[in-house]
Every structure is written in C-alpha cells, then in structure tokens.
Amino acid sequence: MNRLFVVNKPIFKSSNGYMGYVKRKYQTKKVGFSGTLDPFATGCLIVATGQYPKLFQYLKKTPKAYSATLWLGANSQSLDIENVDSIQEVPEFSINAIYQALESLRGELSYYPPKFSAKKVGGRRAYDLAREGKEVALKKITSTIFDIHLVRYNHPFVHFEAVVSEGTYIRSLGAIIADKLGVDATLSSLRRDYEGAFHFEDEKALDPLNYLNIPQNIYRGDEEYMELGKKLSIEQFDTQEEGVYWVELERFFSIIEIIDGEVKYKLNRVEKFKGAI
C-alpha cells in the first residue's frame, strides 16, 4: 500500500516509536517518516508507506511552523521538560524585553544544536553520548528564522510562534532567548503546526504529485521504455535543461535527472495515487 499522509504525533512518544501505531493501524510493515519530532513535542509529522517514503527528499516541506512555550527559571540539559533538574524564581520581565529578545532572532542565525539531539558525532548520536555523560562537540549550524513573534507572556511562561527553515532546533532558539534575558529557561511545550504544504487533516491520504517540490517534465517517447527502465534520450523530453523533474505516465510516475546531456532515473515506476484510502 502506497500512502502519504500527516499524523498528529502525541506527547512523550518518539517519532520512530509512534510508527508502531501507524503500522498496526494501516496493517503495513513498510513505514517511514520525515522530520523527527522530539518525544516531548507534538504535531505535524509526515508519514508514508510502500514506495512513497522514497519521495521525502522531493516534497514541499519548508518552511516549518512551530508553537512553543518557554519556561523561565527552569533548567534542563536537554532544553526541554524531560530533564528538568532545577527551578528558580526569576523576576518578571517587561513585554518589551521579551519582544526584543524574540525579534533579535529574525533572519539567518548561527548557533550550536542541542547536545541532546540526533546529530552524529564520530558516528554516534549526540544524545547517546550526552546521556553517558561524555563530552559532545557539535559544530555550529545556520538556520533562517523567517518569522517569530510573541503570542502571550504569562510569567514565567513565554508563548511564541516561529516559522523557520528545515533543520532548525526550536530548543536552541529557546536557549538563545534565555541567554538574551540572562536567565535559565527550557521549553515546556512544543508543537509543529505545519511543514511546508503539509498540515494535519485527520490522516487524510494525499496525492504526492500535488506536493512535489520539483518541476514537471513531459516525456514524448514510448511509455514502455520508461516502464522497463531503458535508457532514455534527452530529445524525448519537452524540457531539456539540467535539473530534477517528475514525469507522469498513464500507470505510474517517475523522477528523472537531466545532467551532462543524459537522462538518469532517480525513482522509476512509482505507483500513482488512487484516491482516498
């Protein structure tokens, strides 16, 4: 079964662990997801079964939008409520101070990912090293903060929303805001509202051709050539410029790349969407 859809991941479930529920519900063994959510985070998680997980890299998945709550005065090595080790009372801030701390994050931002993250260090996940008490040396990454704004401030909780590029760590944004305010803080809640063109709609089955982030090309050759995976000629395509394209045929669709005057298959004979499942 080929199916592309969005689940609403519940709190305190790992993204990978939640796939067990998906496999049982849809009676399938082959399930993949895109864009890991932390166990304490909830919300939009793109899921696919059958052939469709291979399409993840070609989907419209950015920007991503999050709703978060920052708990001022709480300290956690993982920057979330799973590992809170101390709580201190901190003075209430002016709305203007909170606003300025948030606004300062707009644009390109370079920062260190959380030590408790899935980043690999020497072939191992950073969170495994951190849990063992080992030193985690992560390199800075750069994200784009397209929008960030204050929703409300109920001391000691700062509720904010952010629209960001792929790969942004909202826990790190919370830590940067805390540093600017001069206090300890950790995220007490985090929800992903949407990923690019994807948002939660009761796990409705989606047509992947409506969500591809690459242009369409038209193939004028014999459909059987593509169905059998035979070598294709660039002259058989309407668009002959270099790039990655999707091509729709009667029974299936394919993703091809034109490079150095040649046509190469990226994905071939992917089953087309057959309506709601």
Side-chain angles (χ1 to χ4, degrees):
M1 178 181 70
N2 294 319
R3 197 173 196 272
L4 175 68
F5 57 106
V6 173
V7 300
N8 184 27
K9 191 193 81 66
I11 194 168
F12 298 137
K13 289 276 189 180
S14 70
S15 297
N16 190 55
Y18 193 59
M19 292 305 100
Y21 156 81
V22 174
K23 289 177 182 179
R24 291 190 299 273
K25 180 174 181 178
Y26 294 100
Q27 298 180 352
T28 182
K29 294 182 179 180
K30 193 171 183 180
V31 173
F33 65 90
S34 176
T36 301
L37 280 172
D38 294 324
F40 93 105
T42 65
C44 173
L45 185 66
I46 302 170
V47 175
T49 66
Q51 292 177 294
Y52 286 179
K54 297 177 181 179
L55 298 171
F56 284 151
Q57 63 180 306
Y58 304 110
L59 299 177
K60 300 173 184 175
K61 298 186 295 178
T62 58
K64 300 177 186 287
Y66 295 86
S67 298
T69 300
L70 186 63
W71 182 4
L72 303 180
N75 185 69
S76 168
Q77 288 192 6
S78 60
L79 306 179
D80 60 45
I81 55 172
E82 290 197 274
N83 295 280
V84 173
D85 53 34
S86 66
I87 302 171
Q88 296 181 342
E89 288 190 15
V90 296
E92 187 169 346
F93 293 90
S94 68
I95 288 289
N96 189 53
I98 302 291
Y99 175 81
Q100 288 183 353
L102 291 170
E103 286 292 312
S104 68
L105 272 58
R106 286 180 183 267
E108 280 204 350
L109 183 69
S110 293
Y111 59 96
Y112 290 101
K115 292 182 179 180
F116 284 79
S117 69
K119 284 280 186 183
K120 284 194 173 181
V121 180
R124 297 191 62 194
R125 299 291 185 185
Y127 54 66
D128 288 331
L129 296 171
R131 285 169 185 154
E132 294 172 7
K134 295 180 179 178
E135 187 64 29
V136 181
L138 293 170
K139 295 180 180 179
K140 276 190 172 184
I141 62 173
T142 299
S143 297
T144 301
I145 315 303
F146 299 107
D147 185 31
I148 186 166
H149 63 270
L150 178 66
V151 176
R152 65 184 179 277
Y153 173 38
N154 298 326
H155 187 73
F157 299 104
V158 177
H159 307 274
F160 67 95
E161 294 177 343
V163 180
V164 301
S165 59
E166 193 162 11
T168 301
Y169 289 92
I170 306 300
R171 285 178 293 151
S172 290
L173 298 191
I176 295 170
I177 294 167
D179 286 343
K180 290 181 179 295
L181 295 173
V183 297
D184 287 336
T186 190
L187 290 190
S188 61
S189 72
L190 178 63
R191 184 182 74 241
R192 184 155 62 201
D193 300 317
Y194 64 80
E195 292 187 77
F198 294 87
H199 59 278
F200 179 65
E201 293 182 277
D202 295 323
E203 300 183 8
K204 181 179 75 174
L206 306 172
D207 184 349
L209 295 183
N210 294 330
Y211 294 85
L212 293 176
N213 198 34
I214 53 177
Q216 183 180 10
N217 206 334
I218 305 298
Y219 174 63
R220 303 292 182 182
D222 187 338
E223 185 169 318
E224 186 175 325
Y225 270 61
M226 187 171 285
E227 187 166 5
L228 295 175
K230 292 184 177 181
K231 186 173 182 179
L232 304 173
S233 170
I234 192 173
E235 285 76 22
Q236 296 170 313
F237 292 86
D238 281 9
T239 301
Q240 299 177 12
E241 296 177 1
E242 289 197 351
V244 177
Y245 304 91
W246 64 272
V247 179
E248 183 178 13
L249 298 177
E250 184 177 349
R251 295 184 298 277
F252 61 91
F253 69 94
S254 298
I255 295 178
I256 57 103
E257 182 178 21
I258 296 177
I259 184 170
D260 296 330
E262 294 188 356
V263 180
K264 297 183 178 181
Y265 294 101
K266 303 288 284 185
L267 290 174
N268 194 26
R269 292 183 300 179
V270 181
E271 185 179 280
K272 291 169 71 172
F273 178 67
K274 296 179 179 179
I277 301 173

